[in-house]
Amino acid sequence: MGEVIVVTSGKGGVGKTTTTANIGTGLASMGRSVVLIDADIGLRNLDVVMGLENRIVYDLVDVVEGKCRYKQALIRDKRYPELHLLAAAQTKDKSAVSPEQMVKLCSQLTDEFDFIIIDCPAGIEQGFKNAIAGAHKAIVVATPEVSSVRDADRIVGLLKSADISEVWLILNRLRPDLIRRGEMMTLEDVVDILAIDVLGVVPDDEAIVVTTNRGEAAVTEAKSPAGAAFRNIVARIVDENVPMLEVQEDGGFMAKIKKIFRKG
Amino acid sequence: MIKDNTVIFKGGKSGIVILLAEDAGFERICQALRAKVREAGKFFAGTQTSITFKGKQLSEAQILELLDIMNEETDISVTFVEDLTGQMQVAAAMQPAPQFFDAPDTYFHKGSLRSGQTIIQNGSVVVMGDVNAGAEIVATGNVAVFGVVRGLVHAGSGGDENAFISAISILPNQFLSIAGKKVHYTKEMLAAKKNKIEPEYVFVQDGFIIVDLIANIK
């Protein structure tokens, strides 16, 4: 049976959609069958980031309303045969879907796919409630900024009260140069407040902007630091025994980056 | 006896759901609730349950007033209260029987209190974890935190100047209050205390609020 993982954050613009696209692409490139669901109804983005916008025929709302079977709505990514996208509707709003409908859809998908990754909208209202309804686990994306961490803390509280006990942190857009100058929150600072397991740290990397605009995922870019970080994250999702060790390896990885910065 | 739909009881998944008529005034809801629980009081005898109020947006003070009515009229032990948005979590571990009502009870919260979570307690509160920024505790008695206080903590909220706040580390982003007296920490104070573990307690003496190290308690 497949696993349903929601990618959420509370605050907008911290990298939920990019994270969803990279994790999905990474899992699919390892041969796992994946469905990505864009739960951000009305502000459809994931299809654009994945370069699949031109192939949308049916969307999430069509599926839950029974206008089509979910198989008709799944867009298969030609680059990765195991990667599928269920796009959000752009002309509806969050109330077009209910948490019960999401639970039903997710349980149908778990029969057939290894991973169902849900891209959650920002906020804590209806869209958030829909996105987390069918999830078994959650990935909270935060950037090392006080506002993002505060919102992440709220989200972790809401996830726990919704009985999602397995909650992981991805700290996104870390700037080693700022940390070295003591001007950015460190992973330790953030974990001190959030007190949840760390799935990975993703350095700020312009490859993200470049690949995103091209409709590709940085996770497949051999030279991108963020891509390498996402490959580690994907490895940890597949093998739950990896995390604790690999977080330290991240330290080594960050140290390497710091060295490069120092040379520069 | 009022026979109407102002207050309706329903059994929910995790406890009792009390549906309140949205258009009814708060006064009328109080009367109707009193009548309803008096009628059904024996039904609840000795049970421990959580309560969810639905149908009408209530303030925290109003929720507490309704809980008081439940306490006066029934033997029910309310362990947890949630409003209709499910966002405010009021843990009110108040013991039910009226004769114990004046004796402050202690509510133990296992784990951290995160942003947006609230504890309102007639009595004292012990948190086995952190109180994060954006979280709030309002207690008529003492508040002890086995962790870091970053959020809002009000002790002695009923005006009791004997109440105190203690924690492994106190770094409030806003302020702390005891019996309505507030203490603010400046950014400089917070910066100086960061990464230091100095268990502190906060109390009122001669009308002034004082912060001292627990190590100095004689």
Side-chain angles (χ1 to χ4, degrees), chain A residues 211-246:
Chain A
T211 52
T212 301
N213 286 341
R214 268 199 245 135
E216 292 165 6
V219 71
T220 58
E221 299 279 315
K223 284 182 184 164
S224 153
F230 277 120
R231 283 194 292 279
N232 282 339
I233 286 168
V234 170
R236 285 174 207 134
I237 293 174
V238 173
D239 180 2
E240 290 183 23
N241 295 323
V242 180
M244 291 323 291
L245 261 176
E246 293 256 332

PDB file of all heavy atoms in Angstrom, chain A residues 211-246:
ATOM      1  N   THR A 211      15.828  25.802 -13.302  1.00  0.00           N
ATOM      2  CA  THR A 211      15.123  24.565 -13.649  1.00  0.00           C
ATOM      3  C   THR A 211      13.610  24.757 -13.573  1.00  0.00           C
ATOM      4  O   THR A 211      12.868  24.261 -14.413  1.00  0.00           O
ATOM      5  CB  THR A 211      15.531  23.403 -12.719  1.00  0.00           C
ATOM      6  OG1 THR A 211      15.385  23.828 -11.362  1.00  0.00           O
ATOM      7  CG2 THR A 211      16.961  22.969 -12.966  1.00  0.00           C
ATOM      8  N   THR A 212      13.157  25.502 -12.545  1.00  0.00           N
ATOM      9  CA  THR A 212      11.723  25.721 -12.374  1.00  0.00           C
ATOM     10  C   THR A 212      11.137  26.418 -13.595  1.00  0.00           C
ATOM     11  O   THR A 212      10.091  26.032 -14.108  1.00  0.00           O
ATOM     12  CB  THR A 212      11.454  26.555 -11.102  1.00  0.00           C
ATOM     13  OG1 THR A 212      11.980  25.852  -9.987  1.00  0.00           O
ATOM     14  CG2 THR A 212       9.971  26.780 -10.899  1.00  0.00           C
ATOM     15  N   ASN A 213      11.825  27.437 -14.067  1.00  0.00           N
ATOM     16  CA  ASN A 213      11.327  28.172 -15.237  1.00  0.00           C
ATOM     17  C   ASN A 213      11.317  27.317 -16.502  1.00  0.00           C
ATOM     18  O   ASN A 213      10.563  27.569 -17.428  1.00  0.00           O
ATOM     19  CB  ASN A 213      12.153  29.444 -15.460  1.00  0.00           C
ATOM     20  CG  ASN A 213      11.808  30.509 -14.441  1.00  0.00           C
ATOM     21  OD1 ASN A 213      10.741  30.438 -13.812  1.00  0.00           O
ATOM     22  ND2 ASN A 213      12.685  31.463 -14.248  1.00  0.00           N
ATOM     23  N   ARG A 214      12.176  26.300 -16.526  1.00  0.00           N
ATOM     24  CA  ARG A 214      12.217  25.410 -17.675  1.00  0.00           C
ATOM     25  C   ARG A 214      11.237  24.253 -17.549  1.00  0.00           C
ATOM     26  O   ARG A 214      11.139  23.416 -18.433  1.00  0.00           O
ATOM     27  CB  ARG A 214      13.628  24.822 -17.792  1.00  0.00           C
ATOM     28  CG  ARG A 214      14.547  25.637 -18.684  1.00  0.00           C
ATOM     29  CD  ARG A 214      15.710  24.747 -19.094  1.00  0.00           C
ATOM     30  NE  ARG A 214      16.948  25.259 -18.556  1.00  0.00           N
ATOM     31  CZ  ARG A 214      17.889  24.522 -17.964  1.00  0.00           C
ATOM     32  NH1 ARG A 214      17.717  23.225 -17.790  1.00  0.00           N
ATOM     33  NH2 ARG A 214      18.989  25.076 -17.535  1.00  0.00           N
ATOM     34  N   GLY A 215      10.560  24.150 -16.401  1.00  0.00           N
ATOM     35  CA  GLY A 215       9.657  23.024 -16.187  1.00  0.00           C
ATOM     36  C   GLY A 215      10.395  21.736 -15.888  1.00  0.00           C
ATOM     37  O   GLY A 215       9.910  20.643 -16.149  1.00  0.00           O
ATOM     38  N   GLU A 216      11.587  21.886 -15.319  1.00  0.00           N
ATOM     39  CA  GLU A 216      12.365  20.706 -14.942  1.00  0.00           C
ATOM     40  C   GLU A 216      12.599  20.718 -13.441  1.00  0.00           C
ATOM     41  O   GLU A 216      12.281  21.682 -12.758  1.00  0.00           O
ATOM     42  CB  GLU A 216      13.722  20.725 -15.682  1.00  0.00           C
ATOM     43  CG  GLU A 216      13.562  20.514 -17.174  1.00  0.00           C
ATOM     44  CD  GLU A 216      14.826  20.890 -17.937  1.00  0.00           C
ATOM     45  OE1 GLU A 216      15.834  21.199 -17.277  1.00  0.00           O
ATOM     46  OE2 GLU A 216      14.768  20.873 -19.173  1.00  0.00           O
ATOM     47  N   ALA A 217      13.201  19.628 -12.927  1.00  0.00           N
ATOM     48  CA  ALA A 217      13.447  19.555 -11.489  1.00  0.00           C
ATOM     49  C   ALA A 217      14.944  19.535 -11.217  1.00  0.00           C
ATOM     50  O   ALA A 217      15.700  18.814 -11.861  1.00  0.00           O
ATOM     51  CB  ALA A 217      12.784  18.311 -10.911  1.00  0.00           C
ATOM     52  N   ALA A 218      15.372  20.325 -10.237  1.00  0.00           N
ATOM     53  CA  ALA A 218      16.802  20.428  -9.901  1.00  0.00           C
ATOM     54  C   ALA A 218      17.361  19.100  -9.412  1.00  0.00           C
ATOM     55  O   ALA A 218      18.570  18.864  -9.495  1.00  0.00           O
ATOM     56  CB  ALA A 218      16.997  21.502  -8.825  1.00  0.00           C
ATOM     57  N   VAL A 219      16.480  18.232  -8.920  1.00  0.00           N
ATOM     58  CA  VAL A 219      16.927  16.957  -8.340  1.00  0.00           C
ATOM     59  C   VAL A 219      17.692  16.107  -9.356  1.00  0.00           C
ATOM     60  O   VAL A 219      18.508  15.264  -8.992  1.00  0.00           O
ATOM     61  CB  VAL A 219      15.710  16.196  -7.739  1.00  0.00           C
ATOM     62  CG1 VAL A 219      14.796  15.664  -8.836  1.00  0.00           C
ATOM     63  CG2 VAL A 219      16.140  15.080  -6.802  1.00  0.00           C
ATOM     64  N   THR A 220      17.462  16.368 -10.640  1.00  0.00           N
ATOM     65  CA  THR A 220      18.172  15.585 -11.659  1.00  0.00           C
ATOM     66  C   THR A 220      19.443  16.283 -12.145  1.00  0.00           C
ATOM     67  O   THR A 220      20.159  15.755 -12.979  1.00  0.00           O
ATOM     68  CB  THR A 220      17.262  15.328 -12.885  1.00  0.00           C
ATOM     69  OG1 THR A 220      16.849  16.589 -13.402  1.00  0.00           O
ATOM     70  CG2 THR A 220      16.024  14.529 -12.500  1.00  0.00           C
ATOM     71  N   GLU A 221      19.717  17.480 -11.629  1.00  0.00           N
ATOM     72  CA  GLU A 221      20.916  18.225 -12.024  1.00  0.00           C
ATOM     73  C   GLU A 221      22.091  17.777 -11.153  1.00  0.00           C
ATOM     74  O   GLU A 221      22.134  18.054  -9.954  1.00  0.00           O
ATOM     75  CB  GLU A 221      20.702  19.735 -11.834  1.00  0.00           C
ATOM     76  CG  GLU A 221      19.577  20.311 -12.655  1.00  0.00           C
ATOM     77  CD  GLU A 221      19.986  20.594 -14.088  1.00  0.00           C
ATOM     78  OE1 GLU A 221      21.076  21.151 -14.299  1.00  0.00           O
ATOM     79  OE2 GLU A 221      19.217  20.244 -15.006  1.00  0.00           O
ATOM     80  N   ALA A 222      23.052  17.119 -11.773  1.00  0.00           N
ATOM     81  CA  ALA A 222      24.152  16.534 -11.006  1.00  0.00           C
ATOM     82  C   ALA A 222      24.950  17.600 -10.260  1.00  0.00           C
ATOM     83  O   ALA A 222      25.423  17.374  -9.150  1.00  0.00           O
ATOM     84  CB  ALA A 222      25.071  15.755 -11.939  1.00  0.00           C
ATOM     85  N   LYS A 223      25.084  18.777 -10.842  1.00  0.00           N
ATOM     86  CA  LYS A 223      25.980  19.777 -10.250  1.00  0.00           C
ATOM     87  C   LYS A 223      25.286  20.734  -9.280  1.00  0.00           C
ATOM     88  O   LYS A 223      25.948  21.533  -8.629  1.00  0.00           O
ATOM     89  CB  LYS A 223      26.645  20.590 -11.369  1.00  0.00           C
ATOM     90  CG  LYS A 223      27.742  19.806 -12.054  1.00  0.00           C
ATOM     91  CD  LYS A 223      28.410  20.651 -13.108  1.00  0.00           C
ATOM     92  CE  LYS A 223      29.453  19.839 -13.859  1.00  0.00           C
ATOM     93  NZ  LYS A 223      29.838  20.494 -15.107  1.00  0.00           N
ATOM     94  N   SER A 224      23.950  20.681  -9.233  1.00  0.00           N
ATOM     95  CA  SER A 224      23.242  21.636  -8.379  1.00  0.00           C
ATOM     96  C   SER A 224      23.296  21.215  -6.905  1.00  0.00           C
ATOM     97  O   SER A 224      22.935  20.092  -6.560  1.00  0.00           O
ATOM     98  CB  SER A 224      21.775  21.712  -8.843  1.00  0.00           C
ATOM     99  OG  SER A 224      20.944  22.075  -7.772  1.00  0.00           O
ATOM    100  N   PRO A 225      23.732  22.106  -5.988  1.00  0.00           N
ATOM    101  CA  PRO A 225      23.739  21.781  -4.551  1.00  0.00           C
ATOM    102  C   PRO A 225      22.335  21.473  -4.034  1.00  0.00           C
ATOM    103  O   PRO A 225      22.146  20.546  -3.235  1.00  0.00           O
ATOM    104  CB  PRO A 225      24.293  23.044  -3.899  1.00  0.00           C
ATOM    105  CG  PRO A 225      24.983  23.798  -4.980  1.00  0.00           C
ATOM    106  CD  PRO A 225      24.304  23.436  -6.255  1.00  0.00           C
ATOM    107  N   ALA A 226      21.348  22.259  -4.497  1.00  0.00           N
ATOM    108  CA  ALA A 226      19.976  21.997  -4.055  1.00  0.00           C
ATOM    109  C   ALA A 226      19.513  20.636  -4.576  1.00  0.00           C
ATOM    110  O   ALA A 226      18.829  19.888  -3.878  1.00  0.00           O
ATOM    111  CB  ALA A 226      19.045  23.105  -4.543  1.00  0.00           C
ATOM    112  N   GLY A 227      19.912  20.331  -5.821  1.00  0.00           N
ATOM    113  CA  GLY A 227      19.560  19.035  -6.402  1.00  0.00           C
ATOM    114  C   GLY A 227      20.122  17.893  -5.573  1.00  0.00           C
ATOM    115  O   GLY A 227      19.440  16.910  -5.296  1.00  0.00           O
ATOM    116  N   ALA A 228      21.385  18.045  -5.147  1.00  0.00           N
ATOM    117  CA  ALA A 228      22.015  17.018  -4.313  1.00  0.00           C
ATOM    118  C   ALA A 228      21.260  16.873  -2.996  1.00  0.00           C
ATOM    119  O   ALA A 228      21.026  15.763  -2.511  1.00  0.00           O
ATOM    120  CB  ALA A 228      23.471  17.391  -4.058  1.00  0.00           C
ATOM    121  N   ALA A 229      20.858  18.018  -2.425  1.00  0.00           N
ATOM    122  CA  ALA A 229      20.108  17.986  -1.165  1.00  0.00           C
ATOM    123  C   ALA A 229      18.781  17.252  -1.349  1.00  0.00           C
ATOM    124  O   ALA A 229      18.385  16.452  -0.500  1.00  0.00           O
ATOM    125  CB  ALA A 229      19.872  19.408  -0.668  1.00  0.00           C
ATOM    126  N   PHE A 230      18.111  17.511  -2.465  1.00  0.00           N
ATOM    127  CA  PHE A 230      16.832  16.826  -2.715  1.00  0.00           C
ATOM    128  C   PHE A 230      17.037  15.329  -2.950  1.00  0.00           C
ATOM    129  O   PHE A 230      16.199  14.514  -2.570  1.00  0.00           O
ATOM    130  CB  PHE A 230      16.089  17.473  -3.896  1.00  0.00           C
ATOM    131  CG  PHE A 230      15.300  18.688  -3.488  1.00  0.00           C
ATOM    132  CD1 PHE A 230      15.558  19.932  -4.048  1.00  0.00           C
ATOM    133  CD2 PHE A 230      14.288  18.583  -2.540  1.00  0.00           C
ATOM    134  CE1 PHE A 230      14.829  21.056  -3.667  1.00  0.00           C
ATOM    135  CE2 PHE A 230      13.550  19.703  -2.151  1.00  0.00           C
ATOM    136  CZ  PHE A 230      13.830  20.935  -2.717  1.00  0.00           C
ATOM    137  N   ARG A 231      18.182  14.955  -3.580  1.00  0.00           N
ATOM    138  CA  ARG A 231      18.444  13.517  -3.759  1.00  0.00           C
ATOM    139  C   ARG A 231      18.611  12.834  -2.405  1.00  0.00           C
ATOM    140  O   ARG A 231      18.124  11.726  -2.187  1.00  0.00           O
ATOM    141  CB  ARG A 231      19.696  13.315  -4.631  1.00  0.00           C
ATOM    142  CG  ARG A 231      19.437  13.553  -6.117  1.00  0.00           C
ATOM    143  CD  ARG A 231      20.556  13.029  -6.986  1.00  0.00           C
ATOM    144  NE  ARG A 231      21.808  13.773  -6.842  1.00  0.00           N
ATOM    145  CZ  ARG A 231      22.054  14.939  -7.459  1.00  0.00           C
ATOM    146  NH1 ARG A 231      21.160  15.490  -8.239  1.00  0.00           N
ATOM    147  NH2 ARG A 231      23.207  15.553  -7.278  1.00  0.00           N
ATOM    148  N   ASN A 232      19.281  13.515  -1.463  1.00  0.00           N
ATOM    149  CA  ASN A 232      19.406  12.971  -0.105  1.00  0.00           C
ATOM    150  C   ASN A 232      18.041  12.826   0.559  1.00  0.00           C
ATOM    151  O   ASN A 232      17.753  11.840   1.228  1.00  0.00           O
ATOM    152  CB  ASN A 232      20.278  13.887   0.764  1.00  0.00           C
ATOM    153  CG  ASN A 232      21.753  13.704   0.481  1.00  0.00           C
ATOM    154  OD1 ASN A 232      22.155  12.671  -0.057  1.00  0.00           O
ATOM    155  ND2 ASN A 232      22.552  14.693   0.823  1.00  0.00           N
ATOM    156  N   ILE A 233      17.223  13.851   0.383  1.00  0.00           N
ATOM    157  CA  ILE A 233      15.885  13.838   0.988  1.00  0.00           C
ATOM    158  C   ILE A 233      15.082  12.659   0.462  1.00  0.00           C
ATOM    159  O   ILE A 233      14.443  11.925   1.226  1.00  0.00           O
ATOM    160  CB  ILE A 233      15.177  15.187   0.715  1.00  0.00           C
ATOM    161  CG1 ILE A 233      15.786  16.273   1.607  1.00  0.00           C
ATOM    162  CG2 ILE A 233      13.672  15.072   0.949  1.00  0.00           C
ATOM    163  CD1 ILE A 233      15.389  17.688   1.229  1.00  0.00           C
ATOM    164  N   VAL A 234      15.133  12.467  -0.855  1.00  0.00           N
ATOM    165  CA  VAL A 234      14.399  11.356  -1.468  1.00  0.00           C
ATOM    166  C   VAL A 234      14.905  10.018  -0.919  1.00  0.00           C
ATOM    167  O   VAL A 234      14.122   9.125  -0.586  1.00  0.00           O
ATOM    168  CB  VAL A 234      14.524  11.413  -3.006  1.00  0.00           C
ATOM    169  CG1 VAL A 234      13.982  10.146  -3.644  1.00  0.00           C
ATOM    170  CG2 VAL A 234      13.782  12.638  -3.548  1.00  0.00           C
ATOM    171  N   ALA A 235      16.237   9.906  -0.773  1.00  0.00           N
ATOM    172  CA  ALA A 235      16.806   8.667  -0.225  1.00  0.00           C
ATOM    173  C   ALA A 235      16.278   8.404   1.176  1.00  0.00           C
ATOM    174  O   ALA A 235      15.977   7.263   1.544  1.00  0.00           O
ATOM    175  CB  ALA A 235      18.333   8.766  -0.205  1.00  0.00           C
ATOM    176  N   ARG A 236      16.116   9.458   1.951  1.00  0.00           N
ATOM    177  CA  ARG A 236      15.614   9.299   3.323  1.00  0.00           C
ATOM    178  C   ARG A 236      14.137   8.932   3.354  1.00  0.00           C
ATOM    179  O   ARG A 236      13.685   8.229   4.252  1.00  0.00           O
ATOM    180  CB  ARG A 236      15.821  10.592   4.117  1.00  0.00           C
ATOM    181  CG  ARG A 236      17.250  10.784   4.508  1.00  0.00           C
ATOM    182  CD  ARG A 236      17.485  12.131   5.177  1.00  0.00           C
ATOM    183  NE  ARG A 236      18.860  12.519   4.936  1.00  0.00           N
ATOM    184  CZ  ARG A 236      19.223  13.722   4.555  1.00  0.00           C
ATOM    185  NH1 ARG A 236      18.339  14.671   4.385  1.00  0.00           N
ATOM    186  NH2 ARG A 236      20.490  13.977   4.347  1.00  0.00           N
ATOM    187  N   ILE A 237      13.388   9.427   2.388  1.00  0.00           N
ATOM    188  CA  ILE A 237      11.964   9.074   2.344  1.00  0.00           C
ATOM    189  C   ILE A 237      11.807   7.591   2.025  1.00  0.00           C
ATOM    190  O   ILE A 237      10.976   6.900   2.607  1.00  0.00           O
ATOM    191  CB  ILE A 237      11.219   9.931   1.294  1.00  0.00           C
ATOM    192  CG1 ILE A 237      11.188  11.393   1.741  1.00  0.00           C
ATOM    193  CG2 ILE A 237       9.791   9.418   1.086  1.00  0.00           C
ATOM    194  CD1 ILE A 237      10.611  12.348   0.704  1.00  0.00           C
ATOM    195  N   VAL A 238      12.651   7.099   1.122  1.00  0.00           N
ATOM    196  CA  VAL A 238      12.556   5.698   0.714  1.00  0.00           C
ATOM    197  C   VAL A 238      13.065   4.778   1.817  1.00  0.00           C
ATOM    198  O   VAL A 238      12.487   3.744   2.104  1.00  0.00           O
ATOM    199  CB  VAL A 238      13.353   5.476  -0.592  1.00  0.00           C
ATOM    200  CG1 VAL A 238      13.405   3.999  -0.933  1.00  0.00           C
ATOM    201  CG2 VAL A 238      12.703   6.255  -1.719  1.00  0.00           C
ATOM    202  N   ASP A 239      14.179   5.168   2.457  1.00  0.00           N
ATOM    203  CA  ASP A 239      14.740   4.340   3.516  1.00  0.00           C
ATOM    204  C   ASP A 239      14.748   5.141   4.812  1.00  0.00           C
ATOM    205  O   ASP A 239      15.594   5.982   5.033  1.00  0.00           O
ATOM    206  CB  ASP A 239      16.178   3.926   3.147  1.00  0.00           C
ATOM    207  CG  ASP A 239      16.792   3.067   4.236  1.00  0.00           C
ATOM    208  OD1 ASP A 239      16.094   2.774   5.226  1.00  0.00           O
ATOM    209  OD2 ASP A 239      17.965   2.692   4.096  1.00  0.00           O
ATOM    210  N   GLU A 240      13.780   4.811   5.661  1.00  0.00           N
ATOM    211  CA  GLU A 240      13.602   5.608   6.872  1.00  0.00           C
ATOM    212  C   GLU A 240      14.778   5.497   7.832  1.00  0.00           C
ATOM    213  O   GLU A 240      14.887   6.249   8.785  1.00  0.00           O
ATOM    214  CB  GLU A 240      12.308   5.210   7.575  1.00  0.00           C
ATOM    215  CG  GLU A 240      11.102   5.639   6.787  1.00  0.00           C
ATOM    216  CD  GLU A 240       9.812   5.321   7.484  1.00  0.00           C
ATOM    217  OE1 GLU A 240       9.821   5.173   8.711  1.00  0.00           O
ATOM    218  OE2 GLU A 240       8.798   5.214   6.789  1.00  0.00           O
ATOM    219  N   ASN A 241      15.642   4.516   7.638  1.00  0.00           N
ATOM    220  CA  ASN A 241      16.767   4.366   8.558  1.00  0.00           C
ATOM    221  C   ASN A 241      17.882   5.357   8.263  1.00  0.00           C
ATOM    222  O   ASN A 241      18.760   5.551   9.075  1.00  0.00           O
ATOM    223  CB  ASN A 241      17.321   2.938   8.486  1.00  0.00           C
ATOM    224  CG  ASN A 241      16.298   1.946   8.968  1.00  0.00           C
ATOM    225  OD1 ASN A 241      15.554   2.226   9.912  1.00  0.00           O
ATOM    226  ND2 ASN A 241      16.221   0.814   8.309  1.00  0.00           N
ATOM    227  N   VAL A 242      17.840   5.967   7.107  1.00  0.00           N
ATOM    228  CA  VAL A 242      18.923   6.863   6.706  1.00  0.00           C
ATOM    229  C   VAL A 242      18.966   8.172   7.510  1.00  0.00           C
ATOM    230  O   VAL A 242      20.053   8.586   7.890  1.00  0.00           O
ATOM    231  CB  VAL A 242      18.857   7.164   5.189  1.00  0.00           C
ATOM    232  CG1 VAL A 242      19.977   8.086   4.771  1.00  0.00           C
ATOM    233  CG2 VAL A 242      18.892   5.872   4.394  1.00  0.00           C
ATOM    234  N   PRO A 243      17.816   8.823   7.821  1.00  0.00           N
ATOM    235  CA  PRO A 243      17.852  10.218   8.262  1.00  0.00           C
ATOM    236  C   PRO A 243      18.923  10.645   9.259  1.00  0.00           C
ATOM    237  O   PRO A 243      19.717  11.509   8.928  1.00  0.00           O
ATOM    238  CB  PRO A 243      16.458  10.424   8.873  1.00  0.00           C
ATOM    239  CG  PRO A 243      15.600   9.548   8.084  1.00  0.00           C
ATOM    240  CD  PRO A 243      16.451   8.346   7.739  1.00  0.00           C
ATOM    241  N   MET A 244      18.991  10.028  10.417  1.00  0.00           N
ATOM    242  CA  MET A 244      19.851  10.583  11.463  1.00  0.00           C
ATOM    243  C   MET A 244      21.300  10.712  10.992  1.00  0.00           C
ATOM    244  O   MET A 244      21.926  11.720  11.192  1.00  0.00           O
ATOM    245  CB  MET A 244      19.782   9.711  12.728  1.00  0.00           C
ATOM    246  CG  MET A 244      18.436   9.795  13.432  1.00  0.00           C
ATOM    247  SD  MET A 244      17.692  11.449  13.399  1.00  0.00           S
ATOM    248  CE  MET A 244      18.790  12.341  14.477  1.00  0.00           C
ATOM    249  N   LEU A 245      21.786   9.673  10.337  1.00  0.00           N
ATOM    250  CA  LEU A 245      23.145   9.710   9.831  1.00  0.00           C
ATOM    251  C   LEU A 245      23.330  10.794   8.773  1.00  0.00           C
ATOM    252  O   LEU A 245      24.277  11.555   8.804  1.00  0.00           O
ATOM    253  CB  LEU A 245      23.483   8.357   9.201  1.00  0.00           C
ATOM    254  CG  LEU A 245      24.295   7.400  10.078  1.00  0.00           C
ATOM    255  CD1 LEU A 245      24.474   6.077   9.392  1.00  0.00           C
ATOM    256  CD2 LEU A 245      25.639   8.034  10.427  1.00  0.00           C
ATOM    257  N   GLU A 246      22.375  10.819   7.864  1.00  0.00           N
ATOM    258  CA  GLU A 246      22.516  11.684   6.699  1.00  0.00           C
ATOM    259  C   GLU A 246      22.400  13.159   7.040  1.00  0.00           C
ATOM    260  O   GLU A 246      22.938  13.989   6.330  1.00  0.00           O
ATOM    261  CB  GLU A 246      21.481  11.306   5.632  1.00  0.00           C
ATOM    262  CG  GLU A 246      21.741   9.928   5.055  1.00  0.00           C
ATOM    263  CD  GLU A 246      22.365   9.990   3.684  1.00  0.00           C
ATOM    264  OE1 GLU A 246      22.121  10.982   2.981  1.00  0.00           O
ATOM    265  OE2 GLU A 246      23.088   9.064   3.325  1.00  0.00           O
TER     266      GLU A 246
END
